[in-house]
Amino acid sequence: MGNGTGISNGLTLKMSEDASEKLRETIDEIYRLESRRVLATLIRLLGDFDLAEEALHEAFTTALEQWGREGLPKNPRTWLVSVGRFKAIDNIRRRARFDSSLAQIANELGPNTENPFETEDEDIEDERLRLIFTCCHPALSPDAQIALTLRTVCGFTTEEIAHAFLTPPPTIAQRIVRAKAKIRDARIPYEVPSHADLPDRLDSVLHVIYLVFNEGYSASFGASLTRHDLSSEAIRLGKLLVELLAEPEAIGLLALMLLQESRRAARVSPTGELILLNEQDRSLWDRAQITEGLRLIQQALASRRFGPYTIQAAIAAVHARAATADGTDWNQIVALYDILIQADPSPIIELNRAVAVAMRDGPEAGLVIIEAILARGDLNDYHFIHSAHADLCRRLGKTAEARASYERALLLTQQKSEREFLERRLRELYNNAS
Amino acid sequence: MKYLCLVYFDGTVLDKMSETEKIAFDNESLAYDEELQRSGHFIAAEALESVKSAVTVRMRNGKISTTDGPFTETKEQLGGFILIEAKDLNDAIQVAAKIPLARFGGIEVRPIWELEKK
């Protein structure tokens, strides 16, 4: 997370070591808790992402000087917004001497006789929601939505985003710059969508959170710890969204993420190998996350307005409720996949349904479906379909076909623990054959 | 702020319509222009002749090069435009979504860059 950059680093103060250290800790804590809220308000007041970020940093720098002399203000958040805004107006005025177009902005911004900073908490929450919806505006490319959300809403640094998505930092930096420019030039408004637009716009927010989660989830058995942070961050974002806007699909997505995340510790062996669901030590599953996930899914289902995320969460919930792999209610899982295919038709969901059918009715039944998907040519380059195909062939004793499919899967994935898993299965096939 | 809504669609969609369907559709499009005039969004709107009558002009090395046809040979072609005044992008998207041809094709919404003489 981006709060580790420590706003107070590098500043020297004329204070005793202890007092200055304590103040620095307090300010770091306030930065962690409040900086995103302050930023959201400053973006609204200043109407510009870059000006607001600059103002945020100046406000914290001023806090470090002034709070040491005068003590903490009664309400640090409003103090920071107020100082940030005045600093921004100062900056704009100074630059306006060189650029006449800024003079008008400076005049519009102040001085303001009213005190606009005494906003109610409700408004503040509304502003964070506004920020999320603006960063996830469908007029921005999905890559740009993700980068801007992590940067602005979550406070990641550009380097942290680059590291998490295995992308060079200049690429991420450029993506963010372009996104901000588009918000300004196309005039993407800083607002929570109207009731009529909400379903569409919420989809795009949920999609961003889902992509961030998946990026962390699929790499969780890889080498990088930062990518694990992506899953936690997605869950944190999901919780924030549910807090701000308790829409059924937002609740469903949060339930889905918690239920998937609950298996994290059981998904990898101590030596870093991938462990499939039916071989996992279920005592390692995180009970607190499961309980919360199950509660949320009840809430989402009760709304009767749920969609694909909630149905996926319901499938994850069936697994979470099973005490043993054999005790899994495959009948219910297949039924849920049937509903999911209707709500959100896709070959990937068909593939997952095929695996569930194989568990319920035996490998032959699943194989028929998988071969039909492959015959259509829909998922030929997707390594999971070949490893699923291989697995069913293996269980049916079709060793040659199993081997060919494991090898095809191996060609299609670079993921270290996926590869180790496939190689292990191939070795087992050769050993059993000889 | 001004936005140009460029209406792209596959011309064969209109060819497949019956005469009465075509008339109903044209009336719907004209009615929407009037609706935009009432709401204050409307600046200008025109339908374009088929791309079969299009010409592409380039200046290269001081010479005019004229070629037959539009720039791209995609299936969806620019079929018309509506120039609007909108509060912001969300407002413009709302207007664009209700353009009758949006049901068959796609509308590209482009903010107008106001050039200033310096």
Side-chain angles (χ1 to χ4, degrees), chain A residues 79-365:
Chain A
W79 188 97
L80 288 162
V81 170
S82 166
V83 168
R85 179 170 170 277
F86 282 118
K87 290 278 173 191
I89 294 169
D90 268 2
N91 286 341
I92 296 169
R93 288 230 173 87
R94 212 173 313 129
R95 282 175 217 161
R97 280 181 223 144
F98 308 100
D99 181 350
S100 61
S101 65
L102 285 168
Q104 195 196 341
I105 301 177
N107 286 334
E108 280 170 13
L109 284 170
N112 209 326
T113 45
E114 297 281 313
N115 188 348
F117 320 119
E118 294 298 331
T119 39
E120 298 296 322
D121 276 357
E122 205 175 299
D123 296 337
I124 295 279
E125 295 310 339
D126 200 48
E127 287 189 19
R128 296 169 86 194
L129 202 52
R130 214 177 295 189
L131 185 56
I132 294 175
F133 274 107
T134 306
C135 291
C136 300
H137 197 284
L140 304 172
S141 74
D143 281 349
Q145 292 177 31
I146 290 172
L148 195 61
T149 303
L150 288 175
R151 179 82 189 84
T152 316
V153 184
C154 307
F156 274 54
T157 62
T158 303
E159 287 70 27
E160 283 169 328
I161 301 169
H163 186 62
F165 284 90
L166 310 174
T167 310
T171 310
I172 297 288
Q174 197 166 44
R175 236 174 244 173
I176 293 173
V177 168
R178 284 199 188 128
K180 285 177 184 168
K182 184 155 188 185
I183 290 174
R184 189 184 57 233
D185 297 343
R187 205 178 284 183
I188 292 176
Y190 193 51
E191 65 181 21
V192 175
S194 66
H195 195 73
D197 299 342
L198 195 62
D200 275 355
R201 296 288 308 279
L202 185 65
D203 273 357
S204 124
V205 173
L206 296 177
H207 189 61
V208 165
I209 297 176
Y210 186 64
L211 289 178
V212 171
F213 180 79
N214 279 346
E215 193 63 32
Y217 185 80
S218 62
S220 60
F221 32 82
S224 166
L225 279 174
T226 314
R227 293 163 72 83
H228 161 72
D229 282 351
L230 283 179
S231 300
S232 322
E233 197 60 31
I235 289 176
R236 214 177 61 86
L237 263 178
K239 283 184 176 163
L240 175 67
L241 188 64
V242 166
E243 227 172 81
L244 300 174
L245 192 75
E247 279 291 307
E249 274 291 85
I251 297 170
L253 175 61
L254 179 56
L256 173 63
M257 293 192 294
L258 286 167
L259 292 169
Q260 301 286 63
E261 188 70 2
S262 73
R263 298 196 291 267
R264 175 176 293 282
R267 286 171 67 217
V268 222
S269 74
T271 51
E273 283 167 321
L274 177 62
I275 305 175
L276 295 187
L277 193 58
N278 56 350
E279 291 162 0
Q280 286 174 11
D281 175 359
R282 297 187 176 216
S283 69
L284 294 175
W285 289 3
D286 186 323
R287 288 291 138 194
Q289 283 179 329
I290 291 177
T291 308
E292 198 186 345
L294 292 177
R295 183 183 61 77
L296 288 165
I297 188 127
Q298 287 308 326
Q299 199 185 331
L301 288 170
S303 73
R304 305 209 157 268
R305 290 191 293 127
F306 55 85
Y309 291 117
T310 305
I311 305 167
Q312 286 182 68
I315 294 169
V318 178
H319 289 299
R321 281 200 207 93
T324 62
D326 291 341
T328 308
D329 185 350
W330 289 106
N331 218 6
Q332 200 187 348
I333 290 182
V334 174
L336 286 165
Y337 271 119
D338 288 340
I339 301 172
L340 186 57
I341 282 182
Q342 278 174 16
D344 184 17
S346 100
I348 301 224
I349 293 168
E350 277 181 67
L351 169 64
N352 282 288
R353 182 181 169 277
V355 174
V357 168
M359 293 306 293
R360 185 186 65 177
D361 304 334
E364 189 68 57

Side-chain angles (χ1 to χ4, degrees), chain A residues 137 139 185-189 191 197 201, chain B residues 1 3 86-90 93-94 111:
Chain A
H137 197 284
D185 297 343
R187 205 178 284 183
I188 292 176
E191 65 181 21
D197 299 342
R201 296 288 308 279
Chain B
M1 185 154 174
Y3 293 86
K87 186 163 68 74
D88 52 40
L89 184 66
N90 283 0
I93 289 172
Q94 286 306 313

Side-chain angles (χ1 to χ4, degrees), chain B residues 36-87:
Chain B
L36 291 180
Q37 276 167 354
R38 278 193 300 275
S39 66
H41 285 106
F42 188 91
I43 299 174
E46 297 294 347
L48 300 177
E49 286 281 357
S50 146
V51 288
K52 287 176 202 134
S53 53
V55 171
T56 299
V57 178
R58 290 182 177 85
M59 275 296 273
R60 292 291 181 276
N61 304 323
K63 275 194 198 155
I64 296 177
S65 132
T66 310
T67 47
D68 173 39
F71 272 111
T72 48
E73 271 305 334
T74 54
K75 218 170 174 199
E76 291 196 342
Q77 302 285 2
L78 184 62
F81 67 85
I82 303 187
L83 181 62
I84 57 165
E85 177 72 42
K87 186 163 68 74

